[in-house]
Amino acid sequence: QVQLQESGPGLVKPSETLSLTCTVSGGSVSSGSYYWSWIRQPPGKGLEWIGYIYYSGSTNYNPSLKSRVTISVDTSKNQFSLKLSSVTAADTAVYYCARDYRGYSGTRHYYMDVWGKGTTVTVSS
Amino acid sequence: QTVVTQEPSLTVSPGGTVTLTCASSTGAVTSGYYPNWFQQKPGQAPRALIYSTSNKHSWTPARFSGSLLGGKAALTLSGVQPEDEAEYYCLLYYGGARIFGGGTKLTVL
């Protein structure tokens, strides 16, 4: 079955760029039915969708983060990545990657069915 | 700024029934928002339960059901089990954007 695994530094300094990678196993990031999303969760708070990428490279970002976010895909490595620039303590969170399905079986469906375990990123000097 | 609102907390007795709701600041939630529901337990990633209002994933227990109720998306748990104590999040699709609700902490007591 498809599994997702986040990786990257657990500590980032304020004003620097947070960089994370999600590796997809058991499936292909090039599958046409899926977008690939990043979601984060600050300590003790709720989930926030950051954005998604399609294998073609098309993206869509949360407007509140759009000016600082870049999501990219590397189909040769079966990975997609997140960069968040100019981080502050408010960006401290658990970051999740997720498979984001868009399909049609008589009717349109959207769902996020497979999630990584999450990786904790702390912004601190 | 669109906001998706859930009850902050609910309490239910074991074996009971409880309904969680999900409202949109833009107006009534319809099937066109493709409401999704997730369960999250402490220290774990969210687990998908319901998609497109009322569809269950293959792993979703039968006691969970989704619907539209009074202009909101709803998640109903019937015959609640102690292991259902968790945080529950709804997710609405606004065209290309996705917005999560703030979550409902469900206590089984």
Side-chain angles (χ1 to χ4, degrees), chain A residues 35 37 39 41 45-49 52 60 62 64 96 100-101 108-113 115-118, chain B residues 1 34 36 38 40 43-46 48 51-52 55 57 59 89 91 93 95-102:
Chain A
Y35 297 97
S37 275
I39 300 101
Q41 185 170 36
K45 296 188 178 180
L47 301 168
E48 180 180 35
W49 174 74
Y52 70 64
N60 196 354
N62 185 325
S64 68
Y96 297 100
D100 194 338
Y101 173 81
R108 177 76 64 194
H109 292 300
Y110 289 87
Y111 53 75
M112 294 184 194
D113 61 340
W115 292 60
K117 288 182 166 50
Chain B
Q1 177 85 343
Y34 305 96
N36 277 232
F38 300 86
Q40 187 181 35
Q44 297 182 14
Y51 65 96
S52 297
N55 294 272
H57 293 283
W59 55 82
Y89 292 93
L91 169 66
Y93 288 74
R98 290 97 164 99
I99 302 179
F100 286 95

Side-chain angles (χ1 to χ4, degrees), chain B residues 45-62:
Chain B
R47 180 174 76 133
L49 293 174
I50 299 289
Y51 65 96
S52 297
T53 305
S54 59
N55 294 272
K56 299 179 186 182
H57 293 283
S58 59
W59 55 82
T60 303

